[in-house]
Amino acid sequence: EPVYAELNTPLFEWVIENLLKNALDALGSDQGSITLDASSSEGIIQIDISDTGKGIDRRDWKNVFRPGFSTKKRGWGLGLSLAKRIVEDYHGGSLSLVSSRPGQGTTFRIELPESAS
């Protein structure tokens, strides 16, 4: 059954694209997988983006949304902090790091309030 959320489409597309690009970078090769799982329950839309890539060390979890933080050699470390602001400030939702283990992968979760069609 379809679900609906109030979205700024270009901004939300950028968030999804950024999370998918990060997942692809984490794979580092043509091995592994990326999954996007969406569900809805009790008025909340939940979107999980998971990869089987290099993972994030537990001590860095608190920093992943901090502007300038990056585990990559390239980039400015602004993607996740901007994605979080877009989800929270523009869409009234949340973006969180749900799980990550070095060598096993990472899952980020977006939660959005469901709206009437």
Side-chain angles (χ1 to χ4, degrees), residues 7-17 82-83 86 90-91:
L7 296 177
N8 176 310
T9 303
L11 288 178
F12 194 75
E13 286 175 349
W14 182 88
V15 168
I16 297 296
E17 180 181 346
L82 183 54
I86 289 170
Y90 283 88
H91 298 96

Side-chain angles (χ1 to χ4, degrees), residues 1-105:
E1 211 171 297
V3 294
Y4 300 91
E6 298 279 336
L7 296 177
N8 176 310
T9 303
L11 288 178
F12 194 75
E13 286 175 349
W14 182 88
V15 168
I16 297 296
E17 180 181 346
N18 182 264
L19 291 170
L20 290 173
K21 282 183 178 179
N22 283 351
L24 188 60
D25 286 347
L27 294 180
S29 68
D30 59 355
Q31 299 295 316
S33 65
I34 299 170
T35 58
L36 191 148
D37 182 50
S39 62
S40 175
S41 177
E42 299 180 17
I44 301 294
I45 299 167
Q46 184 174 294
I47 303 166
D48 287 350
I49 298 176
S50 304
D51 66 66
T52 58
K54 64 182 179 178
I56 301 166
D57 192 280
R58 181 72 182 188
R59 67 177 169 235
D60 289 329
W61 283 28
K62 66 185 178 298
N63 295 316
V64 295
F65 295 109
R66 188 172 49 91
F69 177 79
S70 180
T71 59
K72 303 177 192 176
K73 292 187 187 319
R74 58 178 173 72
W76 293 54
L78 298 174
L80 285 174
S81 64
L82 183 54
K84 187 171 181 70
R85 285 190 59 200
I86 289 170
V87 171
E88 292 179 355
D89 296 347
Y90 283 88
H91 298 96
S94 65
L95 172 59
S96 58
L97 172 60
V98 175
S99 65
S100 189
R101 296 186 58 154
Q104 295 183 14

